Amino acid sequence: MTFVDLLVETRRLLRETPLACESLQSRYSRILVDEFQDTDPIQAELLFYLTGKNTGETEDWTQRDPRPGSLFIVGDDQQSIYGFRRADMRVFNQVKALLSGPEGRNALQLESNFRSLSPICEWCDSAFSELFAEGVDEGVQAEHQSFSPTRATGGEENHIRVLEVPGVSWNPAEDIARKNARQVARFVADAVESDEPVLDGGETDGEPVPG
């Protein structure tokens, strides 16, 4: 059996056998799903079968309203660009709408970026805002959401290094990744040998890191 076969047969079991649903629900009272943007349509159905109150509903899985507190999902619709294993952003939006309700009271938007300095966030916003606009009207791409940085810049002047990968005939992924890896390694080696710090003490909790 393939991975998809397992999903299909599990869906059939849970959809057509209320006793199986009730047994699993009694065993797993709460389900947390991370990286929900990678969920495919069948997996979304399974979540509602495993948490839905009306286990006798066999025609429409969206009518299996999850029990309060039984289903918690975390996801980033902008990451749906990867299309991991039949993932579909329309499924992401459908499930989000079903769980959040008409007023969106059960949905919480997390916008703060605790990882990157503000110049990096600003550069990413400028680089990707137009790219993310493509496909929004067709429902296959999420709208771009600007970063909300929380980390101070620390006074560094240079935050971004753009490494352009030379053209590779036919664009083979492995060759491009190999060239890019060599570029990054070369940059890191040059930075380590440099006398100028890349980050100041405030960003390293100690002595400046040698460039």
Side-chain angles (χ1 to χ4, degrees):
M1 297 181 70
T2 66
F3 179 73
V4 175
D5 290 333
L6 293 173
L7 292 176
V8 170
E9 290 303 311
T10 302
R11 175 180 62 180
R12 183 183 61 80
L13 171 67
L14 297 179
R15 180 175 57 197
E16 301 176 2
T17 314
L19 185 61
C21 284
E22 295 165 4
S23 175
L24 289 171
Q25 288 182 8
S26 65
R27 183 183 303 180
Y28 307 106
S29 58
R30 292 176 177 81
I31 295 179
L32 165 63
V33 183
D34 196 9
E35 304 293 357
F36 188 72
Q37 72 279 348
D38 295 333
T39 302
D40 77 0
I42 298 179
Q43 291 171 327
E45 286 189 55
L46 296 180
L47 292 174
F48 276 63
Y49 292 145
L50 291 171
T51 60
K53 292 181 289 188
N54 43 336
T55 58
E57 171 61 53
T58 61
E59 299 296 329
D60 185 358
W61 64 270
T62 64
Q63 298 303 310
R64 293 210 182 186
D65 190 27
R67 305 181 315 278
S70 64
L71 181 58
F72 184 90
I73 63 175
V74 180
D76 179 2
D77 54 356
Q78 291 188 113
Q79 292 188 47
S80 63
I81 57 174
Y82 301 114
F84 181 76
R85 271 191 172 174
R86 300 175 62 246
D88 189 331
M89 196 190 74
R90 288 167 294 189
V91 174
F92 181 100
N93 290 333
Q94 180 183 24
V95 172
K96 178 182 176 182
L98 288 170
L99 295 181
S100 60
E103 299 179 2
R105 290 177 295 180
N106 296 325
L108 179 63
Q109 189 83 11
L110 303 180
E111 301 175 346
S112 299
N113 184 301
F114 298 94
R115 176 180 298 174
S116 304
L117 300 177
S118 56
I120 296 177
C121 293
E122 292 167 3
W123 184 88
C124 289
D125 283 336
S126 65
F128 293 106
S129 57
E130 293 186 6
L131 293 175
F132 270 84
E134 301 176 4
V136 171
D137 293 337
E138 292 78 13
V140 296
Q141 175 59 59
E143 292 187 15
H144 175 72
Q145 299 292 328
S146 298
F147 289 105
S148 297
T150 60
R151 294 176 60 191
T153 62
E156 299 91 340
E157 295 182 358
N158 298 314
H159 305 274
I160 307 295
R161 300 291 191 276
V162 178
L163 303 177
E164 296 185 1
V165 180
V168 180
S169 179
W170 298 101
N171 294 321
E174 290 186 2
D175 291 349
I176 295 174
R178 193 176 297 110
K179 285 194 172 187
N180 187 228
R182 283 198 292 266
Q183 284 182 314
V184 173
R186 195 178 305 120
F187 170 77
V188 173
D190 291 342
V192 170
E193 295 175 359
S194 173
D195 293 330
E196 296 184 2
V198 174
L199 300 175
D200 67 9
E203 284 297 318
T204 60
D205 295 326
E207 295 297 323
V209 176

